[in-house]
Amino acid sequence: MKLPARRWSLDPSQMEVDRALLCKATSLYEQEEYSESIRVLENAVELENLRIDSSDPNFLQALVMASKCLFHTKNKSALRALSKYVLDTTNENSIERTVISGIYLLAKEDNFGILNSIDAFIRTCNTSSFNDHFADLYLLRAKASNRLGNVKDAVLDVEVAYSIYRIFGRDSDCAIAANYAGILELELNNYVVALRWLGRALTQAETAG
């Protein structure tokens, strides 16, 4: 993904992302078709000479989805550019900003950076703006903690992430979180609990289709 990207399907006066297009990109992401999802997203947003309108959740959701796809396709340079763009143009209290920054920090293996960034956000965030991206934060923090050898902390965070994903009906991400929880429990030699989590991962993956 080359940034600034070519024109995304966006009304330049309202900066509203085509919801159908975003749903298509999300579906491709859930099927692990990350490159195809990026191609759809590249038809959704123009980054050049554009200020983010944080009042449009679809726009920020598109950027979060793009960052996840870039991470999975190991396109670190594009992910770095996207992260910089979002840091330069969004409010520092934006949860999407924190998620995208965290994904980039995960890609560059800055685990302490992830913990510091997410902890700072959670301490100061407005809980009235609670949404499904809080699950993304907890999953990112779990991965950073695990990399640093704090497996028990990682388990606690991934359980929170799983619960939030379930609240918002994000079955595919539920499956990812449950699978990760199972792997962590295996590391702790908690085999029965690990199998329970892996069973949940299978069930959620089947539900997601």
Side-chain angles (χ1 to χ4, degrees), residues 7 9 11 15 42 49 52 71 74 77 84 93 99 103 125 138 149 152 162 169 179 183 190 207:
R7 187 157 190 82
S9 278
D11 179 343
M15 293 192 291
E42 284 179 334
N49 300 320
I52 288 178
F71 175 85
K74 298 181 171 26
S77 61
K84 182 179 185 304
N93 296 321
V99 170
I103 291 171
C125 70
Y138 279 99
K152 290 183 178 179
Y162 175 81
N179 184 67
I183 292 171
N190 296 330
T207 301

Side-chain angles (χ1 to χ4, degrees), residues 75-87:
N75 193 338
K76 192 183 294 186
S77 61
L79 182 55
R80 180 177 62 248
L82 179 57
S83 178
K84 182 179 185 304
Y85 171 78
V86 172
L87 288 174

